[in-house]
Short mmCIF file of all heavy atoms in Angstrom, two decimals:
data_model
loop_
_atom_site.label_atom_id
_atom_site.label_comp_id
_atom_site.label_asym_id
_atom_site.label_seq_id
_atom_site.Cartn_x
_atom_site.Cartn_y
_atom_site.Cartn_z
N ILE E 1 5.60 -6.29 10.21
CA ILE E 1 4.77 -7.27 10.94
C ILE E 1 3.51 -7.43 10.09
O ILE E 1 2.82 -6.44 9.73
CB ILE E 1 4.42 -6.83 12.34
CG1 ILE E 1 5.72 -6.72 13.13
CG2 ILE E 1 3.42 -7.78 12.99
CD1 ILE E 1 5.51 -6.13 14.53
N VAL E 2 3.14 -8.63 9.70
CA VAL E 2 1.94 -8.90 8.86
C VAL E 2 0.87 -9.42 9.83
O VAL E 2 1.05 -10.39 10.55
CB VAL E 2 2.21 -9.87 7.78
CG1 VAL E 2 0.93 -10.21 7.02
CG2 VAL E 2 3.29 -9.35 6.86
N ASN E 3 -0.26 -8.73 9.80
CA ASN E 3 -1.45 -9.21 10.55
C ASN E 3 -2.39 -9.84 9.53
O ASN E 3 -3.18 -9.16 8.85
CB ASN E 3 -2.10 -8.06 11.26
CG ASN E 3 -1.18 -7.37 12.28
OD1 ASN E 3 -0.59 -8.11 13.14
ND2 ASN E 3 -1.06 -6.08 12.21
N ALA E 4 -2.33 -11.14 9.38
CA ALA E 4 -3.11 -11.84 8.42
C ALA E 4 -4.16 -12.76 9.07
O ALA E 4 -4.07 -12.98 10.32
CB ALA E 4 -2.23 -12.70 7.49
N ALA E 5 -5.09 -13.25 8.28
CA ALA E 5 -6.13 -14.04 8.84
C ALA E 5 -5.61 -15.33 9.52
O ALA E 5 -6.17 -15.85 10.49
CB ALA E 5 -7.13 -14.39 7.79
N TRP E 6 -4.43 -15.79 9.07
CA TRP E 6 -3.86 -17.04 9.58
C TRP E 6 -2.83 -16.80 10.69
O TRP E 6 -2.30 -17.76 11.21
CB TRP E 6 -3.18 -17.84 8.42
CG TRP E 6 -2.15 -17.01 7.72
CD1 TRP E 6 -0.84 -16.79 8.04
CD2 TRP E 6 -2.33 -16.24 6.51
NE1 TRP E 6 -0.18 -15.95 7.17
CE2 TRP E 6 -1.08 -15.62 6.22
CE3 TRP E 6 -3.46 -15.98 5.71
CZ2 TRP E 6 -0.93 -14.74 5.10
CZ3 TRP E 6 -3.25 -15.09 4.65
CH2 TRP E 6 -2.04 -14.56 4.32
N GLY E 7 -2.60 -15.52 11.03
CA GLY E 7 -1.72 -15.20 12.14
C GLY E 7 -0.92 -14.00 11.91
O GLY E 7 -1.05 -13.30 10.91
N THR E 8 -0.03 -13.72 12.87
CA THR E 8 0.86 -12.56 12.78
C THR E 8 2.31 -13.02 12.82
O THR E 8 2.73 -13.91 13.51
CB THR E 8 0.60 -11.65 14.02
OG1 THR E 8 -0.70 -11.25 14.08
CG2 THR E 8 1.57 -10.47 14.04
N TYR E 9 3.12 -12.41 11.93
CA TYR E 9 4.54 -12.74 11.85
C TYR E 9 5.35 -11.49 11.47
O TYR E 9 4.82 -10.56 10.90
CB TYR E 9 4.74 -13.89 10.86
CG TYR E 9 4.41 -13.57 9.44
CD1 TYR E 9 5.37 -13.06 8.55
CD2 TYR E 9 3.12 -13.79 8.97
CE1 TYR E 9 5.04 -12.77 7.23
CE2 TYR E 9 2.78 -13.57 7.65
CZ TYR E 9 3.74 -12.97 6.79
OH TYR E 9 3.43 -12.70 5.46
N GLN E 10 6.63 -11.57 11.74
CA GLN E 10 7.56 -10.45 11.45
C GLN E 10 8.59 -10.90 10.44
O GLN E 10 9.09 -12.11 10.50
CB GLN E 10 8.27 -9.98 12.74
CG GLN E 10 9.14 -8.81 12.55
CD GLN E 10 9.74 -8.20 13.80
OE1 GLN E 10 9.14 -8.46 14.81
NE2 GLN E 10 10.81 -7.39 13.74
N SER E 11 9.00 -10.10 9.58
CA SER E 11 10.00 -10.41 8.60
C SER E 11 10.76 -9.18 8.13
O SER E 11 10.51 -8.07 8.60
CB SER E 11 9.31 -11.09 7.38
OG SER E 11 10.35 -11.65 6.51
N ASN E 12 11.71 -9.33 7.16
CA ASN E 12 12.49 -8.24 6.62
C ASN E 12 12.19 -8.15 5.14
O ASN E 12 11.83 -9.12 4.43
CB ASN E 12 13.94 -8.48 6.82
CG ASN E 12 14.31 -8.58 8.33
OD1 ASN E 12 13.89 -7.79 9.09
ND2 ASN E 12 15.08 -9.63 8.58
N GLY E 13 12.35 -6.94 4.58
CA GLY E 13 12.19 -6.78 3.12
C GLY E 13 12.99 -5.64 2.65
O GLY E 13 13.67 -4.86 3.43
N ASP E 14 13.03 -5.41 1.39
CA ASP E 14 13.69 -4.24 0.79
C ASP E 14 12.86 -3.78 -0.45
O ASP E 14 12.04 -4.58 -0.99
CB ASP E 14 15.12 -4.53 0.41
CG ASP E 14 15.26 -5.64 -0.62
OD1 ASP E 14 14.21 -6.34 -0.92
OD2 ASP E 14 16.35 -5.91 -1.13
N ALA E 15 13.08 -2.57 -0.87
CA ALA E 15 12.35 -2.04 -1.98
C ALA E 15 13.03 -0.78 -2.50
O ALA E 15 13.87 -0.23 -1.83
CB ALA E 15 10.91 -1.66 -1.58
N TYR E 16 12.61 -0.34 -3.71
CA TYR E 16 12.91 0.99 -4.17
C TYR E 16 11.74 1.86 -3.94
O TYR E 16 10.58 1.37 -3.98
CB TYR E 16 13.35 0.93 -5.66
CG TYR E 16 14.70 0.45 -5.89
CD1 TYR E 16 14.91 -0.94 -6.13
CD2 TYR E 16 15.80 1.22 -5.78
CE1 TYR E 16 16.15 -1.48 -6.31
CE2 TYR E 16 17.09 0.72 -6.04
CZ TYR E 16 17.25 -0.62 -6.22
OH TYR E 16 18.54 -1.14 -6.41
N PHE E 17 11.98 3.17 -3.71
CA PHE E 17 10.85 4.03 -3.44
C PHE E 17 10.73 5.26 -4.41
O PHE E 17 11.83 5.63 -4.93
CB PHE E 17 10.88 4.53 -1.98
CG PHE E 17 12.00 5.44 -1.67
CD1 PHE E 17 11.94 6.83 -1.89
CD2 PHE E 17 13.11 4.94 -1.06
CE1 PHE E 17 12.95 7.65 -1.63
CE2 PHE E 17 14.25 5.77 -0.76
CZ PHE E 17 14.13 7.13 -1.03
N ILE E 18 9.58 5.76 -4.62
CA ILE E 18 9.31 6.94 -5.42
C ILE E 18 8.77 8.03 -4.46
O ILE E 18 7.74 7.83 -3.84
CB ILE E 18 8.29 6.63 -6.50
CG1 ILE E 18 8.74 5.58 -7.47
CG2 ILE E 18 7.91 7.95 -7.27
CD1 ILE E 18 9.83 5.98 -8.40
N PRO E 19 9.50 9.17 -4.29
CA PRO E 19 8.90 10.21 -3.44
C PRO E 19 7.54 10.68 -3.92
O PRO E 19 7.29 10.75 -5.13
CB PRO E 19 10.00 11.31 -3.56
CG PRO E 19 11.21 10.59 -3.96
CD PRO E 19 10.79 9.49 -4.86
N ASN E 20 6.69 10.93 -2.99
CA ASN E 20 5.31 11.38 -3.36
C ASN E 20 5.37 12.68 -4.25
O ASN E 20 4.42 12.83 -4.99
CB ASN E 20 4.49 11.61 -2.06
CG ASN E 20 4.17 10.33 -1.39
OD1 ASN E 20 4.28 9.26 -1.92
ND2 ASN E 20 3.74 10.44 -0.09
N THR E 21 6.35 13.48 -4.03
CA THR E 21 6.40 14.75 -4.85
C THR E 21 6.69 14.48 -6.26
O THR E 21 6.53 15.42 -7.08
CB THR E 21 7.48 15.69 -4.26
OG1 THR E 21 8.72 14.97 -4.16
CG2 THR E 21 7.08 16.15 -2.86
N TRP E 22 7.07 13.26 -6.68
CA TRP E 22 7.35 12.92 -8.08
C TRP E 22 6.00 12.47 -8.73
O TRP E 22 5.99 12.40 -9.99
CB TRP E 22 8.35 11.83 -8.17
CG TRP E 22 9.71 12.18 -7.70
CD1 TRP E 22 10.15 13.30 -7.10
CD2 TRP E 22 10.92 11.35 -7.90
NE1 TRP E 22 11.50 13.26 -6.86
CE2 TRP E 22 11.98 12.03 -7.33
CE3 TRP E 22 11.11 10.11 -8.45
CZ2 TRP E 22 13.31 11.52 -7.31
CZ3 TRP E 22 12.40 9.58 -8.45
CH2 TRP E 22 13.49 10.28 -7.91
N VAL E 23 5.00 12.21 -7.99
CA VAL E 23 3.80 11.54 -8.56
C VAL E 23 2.97 12.56 -9.31
O VAL E 23 2.58 13.61 -8.78
CB VAL E 23 2.99 10.89 -7.43
CG1 VAL E 23 1.73 10.25 -8.02
CG2 VAL E 23 3.85 9.80 -6.77
N ILE E 24 2.53 12.20 -10.52
CA ILE E 24 1.62 12.98 -11.32
C ILE E 24 0.17 12.43 -11.15
O ILE E 24 -0.79 13.22 -11.02
CB ILE E 24 2.03 12.96 -12.78
CG1 ILE E 24 3.35 13.62 -12.94
CG2 ILE E 24 0.96 13.62 -13.63
CD1 ILE E 24 3.98 13.40 -14.29
N ASP E 25 0.08 11.12 -11.09
CA ASP E 25 -1.32 10.52 -10.93
C ASP E 25 -1.10 9.18 -10.27
O ASP E 25 -0.12 8.52 -10.57
CB ASP E 25 -2.03 10.42 -12.26
CG ASP E 25 -3.49 10.05 -12.09
OD1 ASP E 25 -4.12 10.39 -11.05
OD2 ASP E 25 -4.03 9.32 -12.89
N MET E 26 -2.05 8.76 -9.47
CA MET E 26 -2.02 7.53 -8.73
C MET E 26 -3.36 6.85 -8.66
O MET E 26 -4.37 7.59 -8.43
CB MET E 26 -1.44 7.68 -7.32
CG MET E 26 -0.89 6.43 -6.70
SD MET E 26 0.70 5.96 -7.32
CE MET E 26 0.70 4.22 -7.07
N VAL E 27 -3.44 5.53 -8.88
CA VAL E 27 -4.74 4.85 -8.83
C VAL E 27 -4.57 3.59 -7.94
O VAL E 27 -3.83 2.72 -8.28
CB VAL E 27 -5.25 4.49 -10.24
CG1 VAL E 27 -6.57 3.73 -10.13
CG2 VAL E 27 -5.36 5.67 -11.19
N ASN E 28 -5.36 3.57 -6.84
CA ASN E 28 -5.40 2.41 -5.99
C ASN E 28 -6.36 1.40 -6.55
O ASN E 28 -7.56 1.77 -6.80
CB ASN E 28 -5.75 2.80 -4.60
CG ASN E 28 -4.71 3.52 -3.84
OD1 ASN E 28 -3.48 3.22 -3.99
ND2 ASN E 28 -5.10 4.51 -3.06
N LEU E 29 -6.00 0.15 -6.65
CA LEU E 29 -6.90 -0.91 -7.01
C LEU E 29 -7.01 -1.88 -5.80
O LEU E 29 -6.07 -1.93 -4.97
CB LEU E 29 -6.39 -1.71 -8.20
CG LEU E 29 -6.21 -0.96 -9.51
CD1 LEU E 29 -5.68 -1.89 -10.60
CD2 LEU E 29 -7.49 -0.32 -9.98
N ALA E 30 -8.06 -2.60 -5.69
CA ALA E 30 -8.22 -3.48 -4.58
C ALA E 30 -9.30 -4.59 -4.99
O ALA E 30 -10.02 -4.41 -5.92
CB ALA E 30 -8.70 -2.78 -3.32
N ILE E 31 -9.31 -5.70 -4.26
CA ILE E 31 -10.41 -6.68 -4.28
C ILE E 31 -11.47 -6.18 -3.32
O ILE E 31 -11.18 -5.95 -2.16
CB ILE E 31 -9.90 -8.07 -3.88
CG1 ILE E 31 -8.80 -8.53 -4.85
CG2 ILE E 31 -11.09 -9.04 -3.88
CD1 ILE E 31 -8.06 -9.73 -4.39
N LYS E 32 -12.68 -5.99 -3.78
CA LYS E 32 -13.72 -5.26 -3.07
C LYS E 32 -13.89 -5.85 -1.62
O LYS E 32 -13.94 -5.10 -0.66
CB LYS E 32 -15.01 -5.25 -3.76
CG LYS E 32 -16.07 -4.40 -3.12
CD LYS E 32 -17.37 -4.37 -3.95
CE LYS E 32 -18.43 -3.54 -3.33
NZ LYS E 32 -19.66 -3.45 -4.09
N SER E 33 -14.02 -7.17 -1.52
CA SER E 33 -14.28 -7.78 -0.20
C SER E 33 -13.09 -7.89 0.70
O SER E 33 -13.20 -8.06 1.92
CB SER E 33 -14.82 -9.20 -0.40
OG SER E 33 -13.82 -10.01 -1.00
N ASP E 34 -11.83 -7.63 0.13
CA ASP E 34 -10.62 -7.90 0.92
C ASP E 34 -9.79 -6.64 1.22
O ASP E 34 -8.75 -6.75 1.81
CB ASP E 34 -9.67 -8.87 0.10
CG ASP E 34 -10.28 -10.23 -0.02
OD1 ASP E 34 -11.34 -10.46 0.59
OD2 ASP E 34 -9.77 -11.06 -0.76
N TRP E 35 -10.31 -5.44 0.86
CA TRP E 35 -9.55 -4.23 1.15
C TRP E 35 -9.27 -4.04 2.64
O TRP E 35 -10.20 -4.17 3.45
CB TRP E 35 -10.27 -3.03 0.58
CG TRP E 35 -9.58 -1.72 0.84
CD1 TRP E 35 -8.63 -1.15 0.05
CD2 TRP E 35 -9.78 -0.85 1.94
NE1 TRP E 35 -8.19 0.04 0.64
CE2 TRP E 35 -8.82 0.21 1.74
CE3 TRP E 35 -10.57 -0.94 3.13
CZ2 TRP E 35 -8.77 1.27 2.76
CZ3 TRP E 35 -10.46 0.10 4.02
CH2 TRP E 35 -9.56 1.18 3.83
N ALA E 36 -8.04 -3.78 2.96
CA ALA E 36 -7.61 -3.57 4.32
C ALA E 36 -6.97 -2.20 4.59
O ALA E 36 -7.12 -1.60 5.62
CB ALA E 36 -6.68 -4.64 4.81
N TRP E 37 -6.27 -1.65 3.56
CA TRP E 37 -5.63 -0.37 3.70
C TRP E 37 -5.21 0.13 2.31
O TRP E 37 -5.11 -0.66 1.38
CB TRP E 37 -4.43 -0.51 4.62
CG TRP E 37 -3.21 -1.30 4.11
CD1 TRP E 37 -3.31 -2.48 3.39
CD2 TRP E 37 -1.84 -1.00 4.24
NE1 TRP E 37 -2.05 -2.92 3.11
CE2 TRP E 37 -1.15 -2.06 3.60
CE3 TRP E 37 -1.16 0.01 4.85
CZ2 TRP E 37 0.29 -2.11 3.54
CZ3 TRP E 37 0.26 -0.06 4.80
CH2 TRP E 37 0.89 -1.08 4.16
N ASN E 38 -4.93 1.36 2.24
CA ASN E 38 -4.38 1.98 1.00
C ASN E 38 -2.83 2.03 1.16
O ASN E 38 -2.32 2.47 2.21
CB ASN E 38 -4.91 3.40 0.72
CG ASN E 38 -6.21 3.35 0.03
OD1 ASN E 38 -6.67 2.29 -0.45
ND2 ASN E 38 -6.88 4.52 -0.10
N VAL E 39 -2.13 1.60 0.16
CA VAL E 39 -0.68 1.47 0.17
C VAL E 39 0.07 2.72 -0.25
O VAL E 39 1.25 2.74 -0.31
CB VAL E 39 -0.19 0.22 -0.60
CG1 VAL E 39 -0.83 -1.04 -0.12
CG2 VAL E 39 -0.51 0.43 -2.09
N VAL E 40 -0.69 3.82 -0.49
CA VAL E 40 -0.05 5.06 -0.80
C VAL E 40 -0.70 6.16 0.10
O VAL E 40 -1.79 5.96 0.66
CB VAL E 40 -0.20 5.43 -2.29
CG1 VAL E 40 0.37 4.37 -3.18
CG2 VAL E 40 -1.65 5.71 -2.66
N SER E 41 -0.07 7.28 0.14
CA SER E 41 -0.61 8.40 0.92
C SER E 41 -1.98 8.90 0.42
O SER E 41 -2.20 8.87 -0.77
CB SER E 41 0.44 9.57 0.91
OG SER E 41 -0.19 10.77 1.39
N PRO E 42 -2.86 9.26 1.35
CA PRO E 42 -4.16 9.77 0.83
C PRO E 42 -4.08 11.09 0.05
O PRO E 42 -5.00 11.46 -0.61
CB PRO E 42 -4.90 9.97 2.17
CG PRO E 42 -3.91 10.02 3.26
CD PRO E 42 -2.79 9.16 2.83
N THR E 43 -2.95 11.76 0.18
CA THR E 43 -2.76 12.95 -0.67
C THR E 43 -2.58 12.56 -2.11
O THR E 43 -2.84 13.41 -3.01
CB THR E 43 -1.51 13.75 -0.26
OG1 THR E 43 -0.35 12.88 -0.38
CG2 THR E 43 -1.60 14.22 1.22
N LEU E 44 -2.23 11.33 -2.44
CA LEU E 44 -2.10 10.81 -3.79
C LEU E 44 -3.38 10.22 -4.29
O LEU E 44 -3.80 10.42 -5.43
CB LEU E 44 -0.95 9.85 -3.90
CG LEU E 44 0.44 10.35 -3.48
CD1 LEU E 44 1.45 9.24 -3.66
CD2 LEU E 44 0.82 11.62 -4.22
N ASP E 45 -3.99 9.42 -3.49
CA ASP E 45 -5.28 8.77 -3.76
C ASP E 45 -5.93 8.33 -2.45
O ASP E 45 -5.41 7.46 -1.73
CB ASP E 45 -5.09 7.55 -4.64
CG ASP E 45 -6.38 6.95 -5.15
OD1 ASP E 45 -7.50 7.51 -4.78
OD2 ASP E 45 -6.40 5.99 -5.91
N SER E 46 -7.06 8.99 -2.14
CA SER E 46 -7.69 8.69 -0.86
C SER E 46 -8.77 7.60 -0.96
O SER E 46 -9.40 7.28 0.02
CB SER E 46 -8.33 10.03 -0.30
OG SER E 46 -9.35 10.51 -1.27
N GLY E 47 -8.92 7.07 -2.20
CA GLY E 47 -9.93 6.00 -2.42
C GLY E 47 -9.30 4.85 -3.14
O GLY E 47 -8.11 4.63 -3.17
N TRP E 48 -10.22 4.00 -3.71
CA TRP E 48 -9.72 2.80 -4.52
C TRP E 48 -10.91 2.37 -5.39
O TRP E 48 -12.03 2.68 -5.15
CB TRP E 48 -9.26 1.69 -3.59
CG TRP E 48 -10.18 1.27 -2.49
CD1 TRP E 48 -10.31 1.87 -1.27
CD2 TRP E 48 -11.16 0.21 -2.56
NE1 TRP E 48 -11.25 1.20 -0.56
CE2 TRP E 48 -11.85 0.25 -1.29
CE3 TRP E 48 -11.53 -0.71 -3.55
CZ2 TRP E 48 -12.83 -0.69 -1.01
CZ3 TRP E 48 -12.53 -1.60 -3.23
CH2 TRP E 48 -13.19 -1.63 -2.00
#
């Protein structure tokens, strides 16, 4: 479910995943004014 400025909608998706235990380093990037959430666990990167 996407909660966007223009409304809320539901959809389906698919992806491949990497277990967090495989991660050596992670860097979150964002647009400063538009940050809404971190897309990885805070154990990997708690900031951006």
